[in-house]
Amino acid sequence: MHEDGNGDGRGVGSDVSGSGVNQPEFLALERELTVLLRRARANQGEMAREVHPDLESSAYGLLVRLGEYGGQRATELAAYIGVGKATMSRQLRALEQLGLVAREPDPADGRAWLITLTPEGQERVGRVREARRARYARRLAGWDPREVTELARLLHELNRGMEK
């Protein structure tokens, strides 16, 4: 059984004639993305607690971003995550207190700071991400590797389209 975002599977609001939003493929897309996002939020909370029991689930993505791209300014992180400067400052203070991130001067601009993972943060995030990928590999073991590649490509395209 699939959950949908509207409770009854029907669209909310007016029908935008000619746009195709009420076509079966878009209804199915909405339903499946709703299920995926609900599961992803729950999974993110589990991943955050595995990194550190006191870590907020919303901060997990921040740590992953730092692990993949290295040091970044708080403003860059806020823009990527889609939060304001005050929210980002609060999250970064909490991550610093947990010993997962540190601030260091930006070599390109001595007035600015870069946020980086600490060695402990790198180890914890790396361990949790490896375990997560292992779970994906087990759950998708019956898939053809080309299908996994195609799914990743399509999700990447979806994410890029959502940025616009």
Side-chain angles (χ1 to χ4, degrees):
M1 180 170 109
H2 291 291
E3 302 167 4
D4 67 72
N6 306 321
D8 64 359
R10 291 179 290 163
V12 173
S14 63
D15 179 14
V16 181
S17 65
S19 70
V21 296
N22 286 324
Q23 296 298 317
E25 61 271 18
F26 289 106
L27 293 170
L29 176 63
E30 176 192 23
R31 179 181 56 249
E32 297 303 327
L33 282 175
T34 298
V35 172
L36 178 66
L37 292 173
R38 285 181 182 175
R39 289 179 180 159
R41 275 191 293 273
N43 194 305
Q44 185 169 334
E46 292 171 18
M47 298 292 116
R49 285 185 296 280
E50 288 180 33
V51 170
H52 192 285
D54 297 329
L55 184 65
E56 291 181 24
S57 65
S58 60
Y60 178 76
L62 202 55
L63 295 174
V64 169
R65 177 75 175 185
L66 289 170
E68 287 185 355
Y69 293 94
Q72 295 189 332
R73 293 182 181 184
T75 53
E76 294 171 315
L77 292 169
Y80 173 75
I81 300 292
V83 298
K85 289 176 12 179
T87 300
M88 183 55 56
S89 292
R90 182 186 59 77
Q91 285 187 340
L92 292 175
R93 272 193 306 278
L95 291 171
E96 282 181 292
Q97 291 172 347
L98 294 175
L100 300 173
V101 301
R103 296 175 195 255
E104 56 187 48
D106 184 344
D109 181 353
R111 301 166 297 168
W113 295 89
L114 293 178
I115 309 302
T116 61
L117 288 177
T118 62
E120 181 179 354
Q122 290 173 349
E123 187 277 322
R124 287 176 178 242
V125 171
R127 181 175 29 84
V128 170
R129 290 190 73 202
E130 187 175 323
R132 185 182 207 184
R133 286 190 307 272
R135 279 193 292 271
Y136 289 153
R138 284 191 306 274
R139 289 180 179 161
L140 300 177
W143 287 40
D144 184 298
R146 292 173 297 206
E147 292 173 321
V148 176
T149 300
E150 180 65 3
L151 176 60
R153 186 190 70 75
L154 290 170
L155 288 172
H156 176 75
E157 288 299 315
L158 178 64
N159 284 325
R160 281 186 36 175
M162 296 296 182
E163 289 176 2
K164 298 174 183 173

